[in-house]
Amino acid sequence: MSSANAGQSAGQLETRGIEPVPEAECNGHPLQLFWVWFAANISILGLPLGATLVAFRGLAIWQAIIVAIIGAAGSFAVVGIISIAGRRGRAPSLTLSRAIFGVRGNIGPTLVSLMSRLGWETVNTTTAAFVLLSLCSILFGSPVEAKSAPVLTLIFIAIFVLLTLSVSGLGHATLLVIQKWATYVFGALNLLVGGFLCATIDWSAVFNATPAPMSAMIIGIGTMAAGTGIGWANAGADMSRYQHRSVKAVRLVASAAFGAGIPLVLLITLGGLLSVGNNDLASATDPIVAIRDMLPTWMAVPYLITAFGGLLLSNNLSVYSAGLTTLTLGLKVKRVYAVVVDIVAIFAGSIYFMLIADSFYGPFITFISLLAVPITAWVGIFIVDLIHRHYYSPKDLLDVSPSSAYWYRGGIEWRAFGAWAIAIVLGFSFTTIGTTAQNVWFKGFLSDSWLGHNGLGWIVTFVVAGGIYFVLGGAKDRRAAQTENAHA
């Protein structure tokens, strides 16, 4: 299925799927991952995150900065921790997860991960198409709306997905190069746009703001983590599996924490500054338009180009990861075709939400945000297992038959799967599901508790999942077995 060198030059097709990477091809270094995570988080949509901290949580700007560092950069340290598994096992995150949940038990976490990836990619694609429509409105001098210009809308969706396919389809080596150099271009544009946005800040209000209580900071940290690093955690090993064996774990953690943390902290801080005394950005249903309206008219075009580029860089990485997750789920095709399958899915989804559905962002983002609960449970179990596991059997990771060492009982490792299921139920007990305060779909029986009211149920999910798995001894019991396998 793979050649001696499975497409490890930029511009060449990566032919490797989910099979572990041979040591001879593992020449990566952490700086590559730094640029990958930097590019994926350079989107100007980070501004609304900071706006919510100030406008809705009442944080002073120094508090918002601390919250951004701990919540955003800290949550990406979790991504870096999962990257350690990629360096050890040389396979994508959800493929390595077979060793924890069992061949069949892993289907649940893998399906949830794929749904989440496809969901956010549809958000990126739809938003990018709206950005291009907004650009046309400026160039043509009159409003251009999706449903009144269906052909143009289809063209813009196609442009975005084809640009994504050209990078994600070629694979890992091309992704590393594009993400690095595109960061320079769109990073410079972000600085330019940010400079003009700074002119709208009410600095006197910033320096005279009253600090919020510590409880508001704790809530803010949870909100930032759930909206940034936790959503990327299941992609950590996807990017690190080509890292050299000598790369230290601390450098993998630092590459993710600093790579994503630097742009996120800057953008979240700027968003907070813009919202001191002004709630427009935090409450906007379309943050792209809200930010555009803060700029001089002549800056609108470079701003929209910046927004489009940030969405594209994030989508490149997400679609690449989704392709690997699709293969882990059992699709028997080459990796590039799995990417095409994912592209077709988000193309169809974007068409529906832009041309057919009456509304999009509220209901759809609510749905895919729900998936954060089972993903967080998976992260808790994966990290506890990683503490004890230093070896993944390459042969057994790919063997989905009862002869696999990861078959366990009926294809399921019940301690891991049980901990995951219990944590999900408890996590949803703290959760309120709905698009608005009036349109509530579901309300957990613990949602009115302090944790539930402040959106911290995902922390309970993380702790309970990892805690139950640890108490049941799933990871510890396998240390001896994996040591024997390593010497077999």
Side-chain angles (χ1 to χ4, degrees):
M1 189 172 179
S2 62
S3 59
N5 188 324
Q8 283 311 288
S9 297
Q12 294 181 352
L13 180 66
E14 179 189 19
T15 58
R16 175 169 293 105
I18 61 174
E19 59 271 27
V21 183
E23 286 292 330
E25 295 181 30
C26 297
N27 299 311
H29 54 82
L31 186 58
Q32 294 172 326
L33 300 183
F34 172 89
W35 290 117
V36 164
W37 295 120
F38 197 109
N41 291 279
I42 205 171
S43 170
I44 207 151
L45 292 180
L47 294 176
L49 287 174
T52 60
L53 293 177
V54 172
F56 297 154
R57 299 301 178 189
L59 301 186
I61 197 61
W62 64 267
Q63 292 177 307
I65 294 172
I66 293 174
V67 165
I69 292 172
I70 299 175
S75 65
F76 265 95
V78 174
V79 178
I81 291 172
I82 293 179
S83 297
I84 297 169
R87 188 207 59 191
R88 290 178 182 174
R90 303 301 183 197
S93 304
L94 271 301
T95 305
L96 295 174
S97 183
R98 286 175 174 173
I100 305 170
F101 288 86
V103 172
R104 289 179 174 172
N106 191 53
I107 292 174
T110 304
L111 183 60
V112 168
S113 179
L114 181 60
M115 291 171 63
S116 178
R117 281 271 160 264
L118 292 177
W120 287 115
E121 288 155 17
T122 302
V123 171
N124 285 343
T125 304
T126 303
T127 305
F130 277 127
V131 167
L132 293 180
L133 288 171
S134 184
L135 188 59
C136 281
S137 297
I138 295 172
L139 297 178
F140 297 156
S142 61
V144 179
E145 298 182 357
K147 292 184 179 180
S148 62
V151 175
L152 193 61
T153 300
L154 288 173
I155 292 172
F156 288 159
I157 294 173
I159 288 173
F160 188 77
V161 298
L162 287 174
L163 287 173
T164 301
L165 177 61
S166 65
V167 176
S168 303
L170 286 173
H172 186 269
T174 301
L175 188 67
L176 293 179
V177 173
I178 294 296
Q179 299 293 91
K180 175 182 177 179
W181 291 106
T183 298
Y184 294 148
V185 175
F186 292 107
L189 285 171
N190 267 281
L191 291 175
L192 177 65
V193 172
F196 279 89
L197 288 172
C198 284
T200 68
I201 296 171
D202 185 349
W203 291 104
S204 62
V206 169
F207 293 119
N208 293 324
T210 302
M214 181 62 68
S215 59
M217 292 185 66
I218 294 173
I219 295 167
I221 290 170
T223 302
M224 291 302 102
T228 56
I230 296 301
W232 281 107
N234 50 20
D238 299 359
M239 299 310 303
S240 66
R241 70 195 200 280
Y242 284 94
Q243 291 288 295
H244 195 275
R245 179 66 63 184
S246 64
V247 172
K248 296 184 181 299
V250 67
R251 296 187 67 192
L252 291 175
V253 175
S255 66
F258 285 98
I262 290 173
L264 282 173
V265 169
L266 291 175
L267 289 166
I268 290 169
T269 300
L270 179 56
L273 288 168
L274 293 170
S275 294
V276 176
N278 182 357
N279 295 350
D280 291 347
L281 178 57
S283 59
T285 55
D286 187 345
I288 292 287
V289 173
I291 298 168
R292 186 194 68 190
D293 291 344
M294 297 179 185
L295 293 165
T297 303
W298 65 271
M299 270 295 297
V301 172
Y303 158 68
L304 291 171
I305 294 173
T306 303
F308 182 86
L311 291 165
L312 183 61
L313 293 177
S314 177
N315 223 46
N316 287 341
L317 181 57
S318 185
V319 170
Y320 176 75
S321 178
L324 297 173
T325 304
T326 301
L327 292 178
T328 302
L329 198 57
L331 189 63
K332 302 297 184 182
V333 297
K334 293 182 178 179
R335 185 200 61 82
V336 66
Y337 297 142
V339 171
V340 172
V341 169
D342 294 326
I343 286 289
V344 170
I346 62 177
F347 186 84
S350 299
I351 291 173
Y352 174 77
F353 287 114
M354 293 191 75
L355 299 180
I356 301 174
D358 293 328
S359 61
F360 168 57
Y361 285 104
F364 194 60
I365 291 179
T366 296
F367 168 70
I368 54 181
S369 295
L370 292 178
L371 300 179
V373 172
I375 289 174
T376 303
W378 175 86
V379 171
I381 294 168
F382 195 97
I383 289 178
V384 169
D385 186 85
L386 182 64
I387 294 172
H388 298 288
R389 185 187 298 277
H390 297 278
Y391 175 78
Y392 297 86
S393 169
K395 176 180 71 69
D396 293 305
L397 285 175
L398 300 179
D399 185 358
V400 295
S401 72
S403 63
S404 173
Y406 302 136
W407 183 258
Y408 303 116
R409 287 188 176 183
I412 301 174
E413 214 299 351
W414 288 100
R415 288 173 292 190
F417 190 83
W420 185 64
I422 292 171
I424 290 172
V425 172
L426 188 58
F428 281 130
S429 298
F430 286 93
T431 303
T432 299
I433 304 168
T435 56
T436 65
Q438 293 74 35
N439 185 24
V440 176
W441 300 351
F442 168 81
K443 189 176 179 67
F445 72 95
L446 295 173
S447 60
D448 288 329
S449 64
W450 185 85
L451 289 169
H453 181 71
N454 293 295
L456 299 180
W458 68 272
I459 294 179
V460 177
T461 305
F462 178 86
V463 172
V464 168
I468 293 177
Y469 184 61
F470 176 80
V471 170
L472 293 177
K476 183 182 292 185
D477 288 351
R478 290 203 289 272
R479 280 186 296 176
Q482 72 184 33
T483 301
E484 292 175 3
N485 286 336
H487 291 88

